[in-house]
Amino acid sequence: MKLMNRKMLATTLTLSLVVPLAVACTKGDKPDDKQERVLRIANSMGYGGDDEYFRQQFTEIFEFANPNIKIEFIPTMDDAFRFGGGQPGEKMPDPMVKLKEVMQGDNPPDVVMVGYEQLPEIIESNLLTQLDPQITKDKFDTSGIVPAVIDGIKNAGGGKLYALAPTFSSSALIYNKKMFQDAGVDFPKDGMTWDETFDLSKRLVKGQGENRINGFSFSTQSQGDNLFYGMQMYTAPLQLKMFDDAGEKMTVDTDQWEKVWAKMAQLQKDNVFPELMDPQKPMNRQFDQNNPFSYDDFMSNRLAMGIINYGQLQQITNANKNAASYKGYTPIDWDVVTIPSHPEAKGVGGSIYMNGIMGINAKAQNPEDAWKFIKFINGEDWAKLKSHSSYNLVARSKYLKPKDGLDFHMEAFYNVVPAPMENNMKLYRDNPNIYQVQEIGRQQFSNVLQGKTTAREGLKQWQTQGDAMLKQMKENPTTPMQPGVMQAVPAG
């Protein structure tokens, strides 16, 4: 009986949330709006019509509110690959190629959903309808959409809106208040430059060995030797590229790259960053049986400031609440500010990912319902309903508030703009081995950090070895590269 009551209560709560949405969505409908219609949706993320998460996240509430609109999903990935299958050695079909095909086919989708990194390519291919005229006509309010989303999408469309996104994930700079107070240093603030952040972090460095406190890290979790990948948050807004758009020539032997590598190496030497992983001590201090969060520098009170994703806050919140249950854990008094930026790219940076970016196909057969769907999913009521997530943030700032009675600077997660995306995603898709060029850079950067070579010498080595690898890929594009191929590439 109790189980039945719980089920009835859950159903009642669900309906109490959905019914107002249904009323809001159908209030202005015309009498002939009862006619049954089909809305076709395609996406490049591999979700199919049988995908429960996709339906729950994006379509179920709309379907409930609009029973006369039947949603059909157009697959853009073979099931064999979507579920990790395919024949040995068989190349996985390019999801963007397939999406473009169906968008221009005989029975095209009305709505398309893509990743942010794919958006520029699909806009430049003239496959999406500009949304600005519809937004103006219907007086659809976009002023409440956070800069991280609205400005990011506008940047991808050359200042125009070709899509909207209802949710996003983002990062901020978290800091330990007690460490700043103990050091007599003012708290960080929004809008700091990277240089200001690094200067501030130097004043927080304290202690030696196991008791050392570091000032800053590109991740709250122990990075080991992954500073090379972590610092991409620093290099992305500067639009530093590894190779040219054709993927034929390296572009790293430059003064700008040298400046970045030399700066990072000096900060490592100054103990600003956590220590490098010692290959002779694989356990290092990241694994401590007396500390349940030893893998996390910030939660282990070894780090004053670090970049943290919004979804990670839940772990700190829970640990603080249940501190008595965790042997060796000390509750942390923390807050966040916006991620630092460069003077030449003020306010640009961070690890921002938009979820459910949706636009109208230029060849849509049902553009009216496509716009109705996009308006609904990106509207106020939907945002209010979905604002309870602990991992994703809704795009409307009105519903972005700290949960569980917490009080922190929530605005830090959305008052930023994502860095411009590389416009050569097709190059990465066509040449999956090209990521190994990046691995050469990691190895050379590690040599620089260890003082084995200078920043410029390391970059010259990367340039030479990378050029040889790119040439090899161009001559043998279908030949899988073996892990040891980098050692076979001449060092110049």
Side-chain angles (χ1 to χ4, degrees):
M1 191 67 184
K2 286 183 179 179
L3 180 61
M4 180 70 74
N5 288 338
R6 286 198 195 101
K7 287 183 177 179
M8 291 176 64
L9 177 60
T11 303
T12 303
L13 286 172
T14 302
L15 289 174
S16 69
L17 287 169
V18 173
V19 169
L21 286 176
V23 173
C25 191
T26 57
K27 191 162 50 178
D29 289 350
K30 300 173 184 177
D32 61 356
D33 205 34
K34 305 290 185 184
Q35 178 185 353
E36 288 195 2
R37 301 184 296 278
V38 174
L39 180 67
R40 293 166 60 80
I41 299 176
N43 70 82
S44 63
M45 285 83 76
Y47 295 120
D50 59 345
D51 193 285
E52 186 176 0
Y53 168 80
F54 187 82
R55 283 188 173 275
Q56 287 178 346
Q57 185 73 1
F58 298 113
T59 65
E60 277 188 349
I61 302 173
F62 180 81
E63 289 177 278
F64 182 89
N66 298 273
N68 57 311
I69 299 177
K70 179 185 177 184
I71 290 182
E72 288 184 2
F73 293 90
I74 302 178
T76 58
M77 184 181 292
D78 294 339
D79 282 347
F81 289 98
R82 188 155 68 94
F83 298 113
Q87 297 300 314
E90 186 179 1
K91 185 180 178 182
M92 177 176 156
D94 188 331
M96 276 297 287
V97 170
K98 180 66 175 178
L99 181 66
K100 287 181 177 181
E101 285 178 3
V102 301
M103 286 180 72
Q104 300 172 84
D106 295 332
N107 195 12
D110 305 300
V111 174
V112 290
M113 304 179 77
V114 297
Y116 184 56
E117 70 282 357
Q118 300 165 328
L119 190 57
E121 181 180 336
I122 207 165
I123 290 174
E124 289 174 11
S125 300
N126 297 314
L127 296 177
L128 291 180
T129 299
Q130 188 183 335
L131 300 182
D132 298 275
Q134 286 283 15
I135 289 171
T136 301
K137 178 186 173 186
D138 289 3
K139 297 179 180 178
F140 181 70
D141 183 18
T142 58
S143 63
I145 298 178
V146 300
V149 172
I150 198 76
D151 291 344
I153 294 179
K154 280 183 178 179
N155 288 344
K160 299 174 182 177
L161 281 174
Y162 288 87
L164 290 171
T167 63
F168 69 105
S169 60
S170 181
S171 299
L173 179 68
I174 191 169
Y175 62 95
N176 185 314
K177 289 184 178 181
K178 186 176 185 301
M179 288 184 182
F180 277 81
Q181 290 165 342
D182 290 347
V185 178
D186 290 339
F187 292 153
K189 58 183 185 294
D190 281 351
M192 291 193 304
T193 65
W194 282 107
D195 283 344
E196 287 173 338
T197 304
F198 294 144
D199 288 342
L200 193 63
S201 65
K202 291 175 185 176
R203 301 170 63 187
L204 277 299
V205 176
K206 179 182 177 182
Q208 296 293 327
E210 294 295 316
N211 299 315
R212 191 171 92 194
I213 291 175
N214 299 103
F216 172 83
S217 177
F218 288 104
S219 170
T220 58
Q221 298 188 358
S222 300
Q223 292 187 144
D225 62 347
N226 284 334
L227 177 59
F228 176 79
Y229 294 106
M231 73 175 182
Q232 289 180 4
M233 190 172 293
Y234 179 90
T235 59
L238 296 173
Q239 298 188 58
L240 290 180
K241 295 184 178 181
M242 288 185 291
F243 37 75
D244 61 19
D245 290 341
E248 297 176 347
K249 184 73 177 172
M250 296 294 294
T251 57
V252 297
D253 186 10
T254 66
D255 292 344
Q256 196 174 21
W257 270 106
E258 180 184 16
K259 183 179 177 181
V260 170
W261 275 30
K263 180 188 287 287
M264 296 299 149
Q266 185 59 50
L267 290 169
Q268 183 72 60
K269 190 176 179 181
D270 292 339
N271 292 332
V272 166
F273 300 134
E275 63 183 336
L276 296 172
M277 181 77 78
D278 185 347
Q280 303 303 317
K281 300 177 183 177
M283 298 303 285
N284 229 6
R285 63 178 184 176
Q286 284 86 348
F287 302 94
D288 182 351
Q289 60 183 359
N290 296 317
N291 179 359
F293 304 107
S294 58
Y295 58 86
D296 191 293
D297 287 328
F298 189 80
M299 293 183 70
S300 297
N301 281 286
R302 298 191 298 254
L303 183 67
M305 293 185 288
I307 306 299
I308 192 167
N309 185 275
Y310 176 74
Q312 292 175 265
L313 292 182
Q314 188 73 21
Q315 186 178 43
I316 297 178
T317 301
N318 289 340
N320 279 353
K321 273 185 187 176
N322 304 293
S325 304
Y326 298 116
K327 179 184 175 183
Y329 177 75
T330 302
I332 298 172
D333 187 12
W334 59 272
D335 207 340
V336 290
V337 295
T338 55
I339 283 184
S341 60
H342 297 282
E344 58 268 49
K346 200 67 179 169
V348 176
S351 178
I352 299 168
Y353 187 83
M354 299 176 213
N355 304 296
I357 296 176
M358 53 187 74
I360 301 174
N361 186 7
K363 289 189 67 175
Q365 301 172 89
N366 186 1
E368 292 83 8
D369 285 334
W371 172 236
K372 185 175 185 178
F373 174 78
I374 290 175
K375 273 199 308 182
F376 181 70
I377 302 300
N378 291 275
E380 293 263 348
D381 292 324
W382 193 93
K384 183 178 180 181
L385 177 65
K386 293 289 186 176
S387 63
H388 307 292
S389 171
S390 296
Y391 300 97
N392 280 331
L393 298 158
V394 293
R396 292 193 170 270
S397 59
K398 180 179 177 181
Y399 302 103
L400 291 175
K401 294 180 174 62
K403 298 174 179 58
D404 302 324
L406 294 175
D407 181 19
F408 63 89
H409 184 44
M410 174 70 87
E411 293 87 345
F413 287 99
Y414 58 80
N415 282 338
V416 288
V417 179
M421 296 299 298
E422 286 189 60
N423 204 18
N424 58 358
M425 295 308 297
K426 187 175 185 300
L427 185 64
Y428 281 90
R429 296 196 306 268
D430 292 343
N431 302 277
N433 292 320
I434 208 165
Y435 286 98
Q436 293 191 24
V437 173
Q438 197 172 30
E439 179 61 17
I440 297 175
R442 188 195 66 78
Q443 292 179 351
Q444 291 298 336
F445 184 65
S446 179
N447 290 338
V448 174
L449 292 180
Q450 295 174 54
K452 295 180 180 178
T453 184
T454 66
R456 197 55 177 246
E457 288 169 349
L459 288 163
K460 285 183 182 295
Q461 289 290 325
W462 190 12
Q463 179 94 16
T464 302
Q465 295 180 37
D467 280 344
M469 181 174 280
L470 291 174
K471 182 181 179 182
Q472 188 175 343
M473 288 179 187
K474 186 175 181 180
E475 293 173 350
N476 304 285
T478 59
T479 303
M481 302 195 73
Q482 301 302 315
V485 74
M486 286 175 290
Q487 282 70 37
V489 177

